[in-house]
Every structure is written in structure tokens, then in C-alpha cells.
Amino acid sequence: QVQLMESGGDLVQAGGSLRLSCVTSGSRFRFDDMGWYRQAPGKQRELVARLASGGISQYAVSAKDRFTISRDNKRNTVYLQMNNLKVEDTAVYYCNAAGLYGKIPYNYWGQGTQVTVSA
């Protein structure tokens, strides 16, 4: 059974930094795409950043120039370095792994880690 476990969420002041980590287990193959999504209270879950195993990355406009996604393909782990955090970055951050295993799609989620940015 594939499991994703996030860590690194915390309470931080605006302008501060956090590094989120997502450790996975139970997979026998390298994930195609790994990424981070977030969901603030009363809002839909949204993409923050994702990174394909080949190195192509995608960022939300709000995350560009402040956040950096990286991954360890060997360990199927993904990280999110968040700098210059803003109050509006407050949300639960979810790790995601998605792609195709042969012709079978997969889409795994972690339980989330809370990031709270205070003014």
C-alpha cells in the first residue's frame, strides 16, 4: 500500500521560511509526477508546485520566485522550500504523487501538514 507522509508544517511569521518534506513508502516504481497542493479554509485545493521525474516543474503564480520544489527520485521523496512566506500562504499542504503505471493511472495523497503564517 502506497503511503505519503508530509512533515515540516509549522507556525511562522510573515517573511519567514519553511521546508516541507514528503516521504513515501510502499511503491515499487518511481512516481511520474510529485507535487504539493494546498487548501485554505473555505477554498478549493490548489496546485502549489509539481515536478516530473524528468525535471520539468510547474508552479502556481503565487509560488513562483518564493517556493522551490525538489525531489529525490531514488527515494520517491519531494520537498518544498518556501521563502518569504505570506499570510495568504496559510493552508494545509498536501503531497501528491500521480502518473501512469503501465496504462493504469494512479493518484496518491498524503494527510496534509498545516502551515500557518502570522502577520
Side-chain angles (χ1 to χ4, degrees), residues 52-70:
S53 59
I56 296 175
S57 61
Q58 178 186 0
Y59 289 90
V61 172
S62 59
K64 226 170 184 179
D65 300 327
R66 296 187 301 125
F67 296 0
T68 303
I69 188 171
S70 60

Side-chain angles (χ1 to χ4, degrees), residues 19-38:
R19 186 175 189 251
L20 305 183
S21 300
C22 175
V23 176
T24 71
S25 62
S27 175
R28 294 174 294 174
F29 55 92
R30 185 174 65 187
F31 296 129
D32 293 332
D33 288 344
M34 297 193 75
W36 291 93
Y37 290 72
R38 68 186 182 189

Side-chain angles (χ1 to χ4, degrees), residues 12-20 36 38 43 46-49 57-70 79-91 93 115-118:
V12 64
Q13 285 191 324
S17 298
L18 283 175
R19 186 175 189 251
L20 305 183
W36 291 93
R38 68 186 182 189
K43 294 189 177 181
E46 62 177 5
L47 172 71
V48 177
S57 61
Q58 178 186 0
Y59 289 90
V61 172
S62 59
K64 226 170 184 179
D65 300 327
R66 296 187 301 125
F67 296 0
T68 303
I69 188 171
S70 60
Y79 308 94
L80 185 68
Q81 177 66 42
M82 304 188 293
N83 298 327
N84 191 21
L85 282 159
K86 303 178 180 181
V87 172
E88 50 265 39
D89 293 320
T90 296
Y93 283 69
V115 172
T116 304
V117 185
S118 63

